[in-house]
Amino acid sequence: MAENSLSKLHAAVRDVPDFPKAGIIFKDITPILKDGALFRASIDIFLDQCRDKRIDKIVGIDARGFLFGSAVAYELGIGFVPLRKKGRLPYQTESARYSLEYGEAEMELHIDAIERGEKIVLIDDLLATGGTSASAATLIKKVGGDLIEAIFLIELEFLHGRKKLEPTPVTSFLKY
């Protein structure tokens, strides 16, 4: 990916102070999503990272991971698996609880979404404390998937979230 594209993506991320609660500076990607060229550039950097891997499915984390993950899965011609907040999936699920920097939540995955041994890449917009991603990794492994990499548009490095994903390789493109 050209350094120029990464610079443009970085410049487009908007800081929103005190969202969703006081003291949090939210990294807003909607300026990227509303701009066709920037949205395409963001999908392209995920594709560049995934293209030469033998991936069976992409798992996207609710909800912004769906935007990037489904587009990457489509382009690669592979399946997409939504990992959703508790109570949002209609079939039998496995679940995992996790802590956020501003509360707790629970994620679910359909029990038949991933076949045993399938190679999985996890995609989301942001890696912060790593709680959401670690619960996603737990669920992928619980249903038999082989998580080969976790990829994020943005990483808040000062929160050290990638440690919670070890030993899974982690890639992020925009670092703060």
Side-chain angles (χ1 to χ4, degrees), residues 59-67 80-86 88-89 98 106-108 122-125 132:
V59 171
I61 297 176
D62 192 349
R64 291 174 298 275
F66 294 1
L67 302 170
F80 174 77
V81 176
L83 193 138
R84 301 214 55 198
K85 294 174 179 123
K86 184 172 179 59
R88 300 292 178 113
L89 291 173
Y98 63 98
E106 191 168 354
M107 299 298 287
E108 293 183 322
L122 176 66
I123 289 181
D124 202 7
D125 68 319
T132 306

Side-chain angles (χ1 to χ4, degrees), residues 120-137:
I120 306 300
V121 167
L122 176 66
I123 289 181
D124 202 7
D125 68 319
L126 178 82
L127 175 60
T129 63
T132 306
S133 303
S135 72

Side-chain angles (χ1 to χ4, degrees), residues 142-159:
K142 194 183 260 189
V143 298
D146 178 14
L147 180 59
I148 63 169
E149 189 170 6
I151 308 173
F152 305 90
L153 180 63
I154 296 170
E155 181 177 1
L156 303 179
E157 292 181 301
F158 63 94
L159 293 174

Side-chain angles (χ1 to χ4, degrees), residues 8-166:
K8 287 179 181 179
L9 289 168
H10 196 280
V13 175
R14 174 173 42 208
D15 285 349
V16 180
D18 299 323
F19 183 84
K21 70 178 217 174
I24 303 290
I25 298 175
F26 186 83
K27 297 294 185 188
D28 182 12
I29 62 166
T30 57
I32 291 171
L33 300 175
K34 74 177 185 176
D35 182 299
L38 290 176
F39 184 51
R40 179 178 297 277
S42 68
I43 297 301
D44 286 347
I45 61 175
F46 281 103
L47 280 168
D48 289 347
Q49 187 65 26
C50 292
R51 214 177 284 283
D52 294 330
K53 295 177 173 61
R54 295 174 186 234
I55 303 167
D56 296 303
K57 290 182 179 145
I58 299 288
V59 171
I61 297 176
D62 192 349
R64 291 174 298 275
F66 294 1
L67 302 170
F68 301 109
S70 61
V72 171
Y74 172 82
E75 190 65 30
L76 295 176
I78 61 176
F80 174 77
V81 176
L83 193 138
R84 301 214 55 198
K85 294 174 179 123
K86 184 172 179 59
R88 300 292 178 113
L89 291 173
Y91 187 62
Q92 297 172 5
T93 61
E94 287 286 352
S95 65
R97 293 190 65 76
Y98 63 98
S99 295
L100 297 163
E101 56 273 24
Y102 48 84
E104 284 198 352
E106 191 168 354
M107 299 298 287
E108 293 183 322
L109 183 69
H110 277 150
I111 60 170
D112 63 351
I114 297 169
E115 300 294 322
R116 185 157 304 284
E118 283 187 317
K119 297 199 178 318
I120 306 300
V121 167
L122 176 66
I123 289 181
D124 202 7
D125 68 319
L126 178 82
L127 175 60
T129 63
T132 306
S133 303
S135 72
T138 297
L139 286 171
I140 290 165
K141 293 170 188 170
K142 194 183 260 189
V143 298
D146 178 14
L147 180 59
I148 63 169
E149 189 170 6
I151 308 173
F152 305 90
L153 180 63
I154 296 170
E155 181 177 1
L156 303 179
E157 292 181 301
F158 63 94
L159 293 174
H160 309 288
R162 67 175 48 228
K163 288 182 180 179
K164 289 186 181 170
L165 287 164
E166 290 177 348

